[in-house]
Amino acid sequence: MAGPIADPITGPITDRLGRVVVLEGISEDNWRAVADVAPADDQRRFVAALAARYLLLSLNGGVWTSVGVRAGDTIAGHLMWAYDAEDGTHWVGGMVVSAPEQGRGVGRAALRAVIRRLSALPECREIRLSCHPDNTAAARLYASLGFRATGEYEDEEAVMALPVRVPAG
């Protein structure tokens, strides 16, 4: 596995259209827009048909933290993460980019934003996610950001990990 990396960006994270992409907490103002996020039809075998499923997991499971992905003025997606105290890793899951927003770099920007956010946590040493073996576009995206296959599987999905650089001090 490659050595630890960290996102070198210190300014705003943008998509291909130049829109600032941010992760925002779920609120009274945005929950409906986040819940309605739907991927392209051909991706529904890899992710839920609506982000509402992931919001419910976050609300009822007590493990996942859901956020909306905002690109400029538009809710463009959903992403969630959790901390696994057993092995000390952070997991990213439930990432959905709405069909009209795909191909604009929103997914890449959202992942860079969550990597930045999680790697700033003092306990974060590794970020993991899983990917269906047939979802080659997602696997390429994850690999381009430094995630590497671990050889492990979670619910028939290949686990990928990104070591996080531990701050000096």
Side-chain angles (χ1 to χ4, degrees):
M1 183 174 291
I5 67 164
D7 191 347
I9 294 176
T10 56
I13 297 173
T14 59
D15 66 8
R16 289 187 187 131
L17 302 179
R19 298 177 300 177
V20 173
V21 175
V22 297
L23 306 177
E24 63 181 39
I26 305 302
S27 69
E28 185 64 34
D29 294 331
N30 70 9
W31 76 267
R32 287 174 184 82
V34 175
D36 288 343
V37 168
D41 289 342
D42 64 340
Q43 294 177 342
R44 291 180 185 205
R45 63 185 272 224
F46 305 127
V47 296
L50 287 174
R53 174 183 167 90
Y54 300 123
L55 284 175
L56 288 171
L57 284 171
S58 293
L59 287 172
N60 293 321
V63 174
W64 293 97
T65 298
S66 277
V67 292
V69 177
R70 182 175 294 280
D73 295 331
T74 304
I75 290 292
H78 170 274
L79 186 144
M80 63 186 189
W81 70 82
Y83 177 68
D84 185 340
E86 283 186 29
D87 64 10
T89 59
H90 285 79
W91 282 81
V92 175
M95 187 170 94
V96 182
V97 175
S98 68
E101 293 291 334
Q102 291 181 12
R104 297 177 174 179
V106 173
R108 173 179 297 281
L111 280 169
R112 291 174 78 186
V114 78
I115 290 167
R116 181 187 287 179
R117 181 177 286 189
L118 294 177
S119 64
L121 299 173
E123 73 276 6
C124 187
R125 300 293 179 263
E126 183 176 73
I127 300 170
R128 290 182 163 217
L129 47 75
S130 62
C131 180
H132 190 281
D134 294 340
N135 195 348
T136 56
R140 279 193 310 271
L141 170 62
Y142 304 150
S144 75
L145 291 170
F147 286 88
R148 300 292 176 249
T150 65
E152 301 168 47
Y153 282 81
E154 184 80 25
D155 296 329
E156 300 178 11
E157 293 190 340
V159 174
M160 301 179 80
L162 175 70
V164 175
R165 184 173 297 145
V166 178

